[in-house]
């Protein structure tokens, strides 16, 4: 085996891009993300279509009661209200994953998994579990048994499955706790989006066919506020607990921790989900105060931990870029610009007001510098072989080429460029 083949093998085992120049279709066929897309997209279509067929079909139960199927009108109205919550949380998690942003396709597949596959699996398994847990006696707890004892296990496992697939296939792109937490949030947002559509549409159907309910719009807005605003944090929060356990496993060298940490995170998410569903199934408003306060405290702790994670990632990038500064490859100003979150945001904002090409080149420059920092971190931790040195030199050459065509330092540049005065334009024409 020649040295070139050995380097290619080391790059492949380390999860680094190939150093061999290939055509676009050859690179595509070698990409695990491409084949993951080929497999998942048809499943997304089948899952959503099957749920649509199931929900629009009326069902008559043994006691003679009938559950009306959803109409296209109710689904459109429900989707309109559910989309705003999904959009807000999607933007939040994409922004959170900004240090080394994922491929857009990864974001879409993660959201689609939660919206199509997780809901599809959960509907069938929870329906089966509900029938197994039902009794012949009429009691008020019969309808909540599946929601408390079955749904948390099924839904949390279904939402987290895509995280395991991504860690196996594109593991080097998930480089930090922020990355995996953002992806877990997108999966949960997709799940909540479809689930909210179903709940909103059912309320609309019931209120339009039951005169005692009153105004259908008012009834729908009540559940929109409840699920889309007040408790909208629930699904993302629970799945983020599983992701936290997975992030601990990623950063640990102990085989025991790598097994126990994801399991502990999953059980914590299931416990929180069970508590939430159990509290939601009660009609006593006073008994909801303690779980509600506990949930808010947990959300506050999660937000604080994410802020700390952002600061830790900024510090990691600065420390690793300083290694290249000491070697003479980068300037001191580079370590300051590309390691400070607000400076990075200002850099992209300045570039955006100077045209889409300038923004794209600046964003690419920022991405290459960030890749360089994380590559150095992998090398220090010993998870990337000697092929990382060659890839690092390739990144440095790309950075040097991009400097001449992008904005590398926003200092002294106004966000919105000033238009030259008429006298200056006349002078320039002469």
């Amino acid at each position: 085996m020649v040295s070139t083949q050995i380097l290619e093998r080391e790059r492949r085992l380390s999860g680094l891009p190939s150093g061999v120049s290939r055509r676009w279709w050859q690179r595509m066929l070698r990409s695990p993300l491409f084949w993951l897309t080929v497999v998942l997209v048809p499943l997304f279509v089948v899952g959503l279509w099957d749920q649509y067929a199931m929900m629009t079909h009326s069902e008559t139960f043994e006691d003679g009661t009938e559950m009306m199927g959803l109409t296209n009108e109710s689904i459109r109205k429900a989707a309109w209200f559910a989309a705003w919550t999904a959009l807000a949380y999607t933007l939040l998690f994409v922004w959170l994953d900004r240090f080394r942003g994922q491929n857009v396709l990864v974001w879409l597949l993660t959201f689609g998994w939660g919206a199509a596959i997780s809901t599809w699996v959960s509907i069938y398994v929870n329906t089966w579990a509900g029938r197994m847990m039902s009794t012949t006696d009429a009691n008020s707890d019969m309808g909540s048994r599946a929601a408390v004892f079955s749904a948390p296990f099924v839904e949390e496992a279904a939402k987290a499955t895509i995280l395991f697939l991504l860690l196996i296939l594109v593991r080097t792109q998930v480089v930090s706790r922020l990355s995996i937490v953002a992806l877990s949030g997108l999966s949960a947002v997709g799940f909540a989006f479809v689930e909210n559509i179903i709940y909103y549409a059912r309320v609309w159907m019931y209120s339009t066919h039951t005169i005692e309910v009153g105004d259908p719009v008012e009834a729908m807005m009540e559940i929109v506020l409840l699920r889309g605003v007040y408790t909208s944090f629930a699904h993302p929060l629970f799945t983020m607990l599983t992701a936290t356990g997975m992030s601990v496993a990623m950063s640990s060298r102990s085989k025991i921790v790598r097994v126990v940490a994801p399991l502990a995170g999953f059980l914590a998410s299931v416990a929180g989900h069970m508590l939430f569903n159990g509290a939601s199934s009660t009609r006593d408003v006073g008994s909801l105060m303690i779980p509600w306060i506990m949930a808010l405290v947990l959300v506050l702790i999660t937000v604080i931990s994410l802020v700390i994670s952002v600061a830790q990632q900024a510090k990691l990038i600065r420390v690793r870029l300083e290694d290249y500064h000491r070697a003479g490859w980068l300037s001191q100003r580079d370590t300051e610009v590309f390691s400070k979150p607000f400076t990075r945001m200002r850099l992209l904002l300045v570039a955006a007001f100077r045209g889409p090409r300038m923004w794209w080149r600046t964003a690419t420059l920022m991405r290459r510098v960030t890749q360089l920092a994380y590559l150095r971190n992998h090398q220090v931790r010993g998870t990337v072989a000697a092929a990382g040195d060659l890839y690092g030199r390739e990144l440095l050459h790309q950075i040097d080429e991009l400097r001449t065509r992008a904005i590398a330092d926003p200092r002294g540049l106004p966000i919105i460029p000033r238009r030259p005065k008429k006298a200056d334009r006349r002078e320039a024409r002469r």
Side-chain angles (χ1 to χ4, degrees):
M1 185 179 291
V2 298
S3 59
T4 303
Q5 293 175 320
I6 294 175
L7 284 174
E8 278 299 299
R9 182 174 180 274
E10 288 184 355
R11 292 175 74 126
R12 184 174 65 255
L13 293 176
S14 299
L16 301 177
S18 174
V20 179
S21 178
R22 294 186 176 91
R23 296 181 179 180
W24 66 268
W25 59 270
Q26 292 175 322
R27 295 194 302 269
M28 182 179 67
L29 292 178
R30 288 173 173 268
S31 171
L33 191 58
F34 169 75
W35 293 109
L36 186 64
T37 305
V38 170
V39 173
L40 290 184
V41 169
L43 290 179
F44 292 168
V45 175
V46 172
L48 290 176
W49 177 257
D50 188 53
Q51 290 181 75
Y52 172 79
M54 183 189 307
M55 293 301 164
T56 54
H57 176 71
S58 300
E59 183 178 0
T60 302
F61 298 99
E62 296 180 357
D63 58 359
T65 59
E66 181 182 1
M67 183 178 71
M68 295 177 294
L70 306 180
T71 62
N72 290 335
E73 178 192 14
S74 64
I75 294 176
R76 284 195 300 269
K77 289 181 178 294
W80 168 258
F81 289 109
W84 293 105
T85 303
L87 178 61
Y89 277 94
T90 298
L91 293 176
L92 173 63
F93 287 114
V94 169
W95 174 82
L96 190 64
D97 195 20
R98 68 191 182 281
F99 277 111
R100 186 182 176 183
Q102 299 295 332
N103 188 313
V104 176
L105 190 57
V106 174
W107 287 333
L108 293 176
L109 290 178
T110 306
F111 184 91
W113 177 277
I117 305 300
S118 297
T119 52
W120 187 26
V121 171
S122 298
I123 284 178
Y124 278 100
V125 177
N126 288 335
T127 301
W128 172 82
R131 290 172 180 171
M132 294 299 101
M133 294 180 184
S134 63
T135 62
T136 55
D137 298 329
N139 64 72
S140 59
D141 296 329
M142 187 172 64
S144 62
R145 288 190 184 119
V148 175
F149 299 107
S150 168
F153 287 95
V154 176
E155 293 176 4
E156 295 307 321
K159 288 183 292 183
T161 302
I162 186 62
L163 303 180
F164 287 97
L165 290 176
L166 291 175
L167 285 179
I168 293 172
L169 297 176
V170 288
R171 63 189 183 279
T172 55
Q173 295 187 27
V174 186
V175 294
S176 66
R177 177 172 178 261
L178 289 176
S179 295
I180 194 167
V181 165
L183 292 176
S184 69
L186 286 176
S187 178
V189 170
F191 183 94
F193 174 60
V194 173
E195 189 180 55
N196 285 342
I197 291 176
I198 296 174
Y199 274 92
Y200 298 169
R202 281 177 175 173
V203 169
W204 177 264
M205 292 299 298
Y206 181 77
S207 58
T208 53
H209 289 78
T210 306
I211 194 172
E212 292 85 359
V213 175
D215 186 9
V217 176
E218 190 174 320
M220 177 176 274
M221 289 306 302
E222 183 177 348
I223 191 172
V224 167
L225 290 175
L226 177 63
R227 293 187 59 88
V229 180
Y230 301 143
T231 62
S232 59
F233 59 84
H235 278 296
L237 178 63
F238 301 144
T239 313
M240 285 164 60
L241 294 176
T242 303
T244 300
M246 296 173 68
S247 68
V248 172
M250 288 169 51
S251 59
S252 176
R253 296 184 180 182
S254 171
K255 294 181 180 180
I256 297 177
V257 174
R258 289 185 176 184
V259 175
V260 173
L263 181 60
F266 173 72
L267 293 178
S269 66
V270 169
H273 203 152
M274 292 177 70
L275 178 62
F276 179 82
N277 286 357
S280 300
S281 63
T282 181
R283 296 180 179 273
D284 185 5
V285 179
S287 63
L288 292 175
M289 290 304 299
I290 295 179
W292 177 258
I293 294 174
M294 291 175 61
L296 290 181
V297 171
L298 187 57
V299 170
L300 181 61
I301 294 174
T302 303
V303 171
I304 293 175
S305 67
L306 291 177
V307 172
I308 294 174
S309 297
V310 170
Q312 290 175 340
Q313 291 303 305
K315 181 180 179 181
L316 182 147
I317 292 175
R318 184 178 67 254
V319 170
R320 296 312 171 204
L321 290 181
E322 285 178 352
D323 294 344
Y324 291 97
H325 166 61
R326 286 191 293 269
W329 292 104
L330 297 177
S331 66
Q332 182 63 41
R333 183 60 183 169
D334 289 333
T335 64
E336 297 174 359
V337 171
F338 295 105
S339 64
K340 295 181 178 179
F342 291 106
T343 305
R344 290 165 63 103
M345 292 172 59
R346 178 179 175 80
L347 182 63
L348 291 177
L349 197 59
V350 168
F353 280 96
R354 284 156 178 80
R357 291 185 179 179
M358 180 61 71
W359 178 87
W360 179 259
R361 290 193 291 263
T362 303
T364 304
L365 173 63
M366 183 180 297
R367 185 176 180 86
R368 294 294 178 266
V369 175
T370 307
Q371 286 176 328
L372 190 66
Y374 281 115
L375 172 65
R376 177 61 181 168
N377 185 56
H378 286 309
Q379 288 179 304
V380 171
R381 293 176 55 198
T383 57
V384 171
D389 294 331
L390 180 59
Y391 181 54
R393 288 196 293 269
E394 294 173 2
L395 288 175
L396 286 169
H397 286 305
Q398 294 177 22
I399 291 170
D400 289 338
E401 292 176 0
L402 286 168
R403 284 184 189 278
T404 59
R405 298 180 294 136
I407 300 175
D409 189 353
R411 183 173 49 184
L413 295 176
I415 294 179
I416 301 177
R418 299 184 182 90
R419 295 187 60 184
K421 297 180 180 179
K422 292 183 179 180
D424 296 336
R425 289 200 297 266
R426 294 195 199 100
E427 187 67 25
R429 289 170 187 167
R430 292 176 185 175

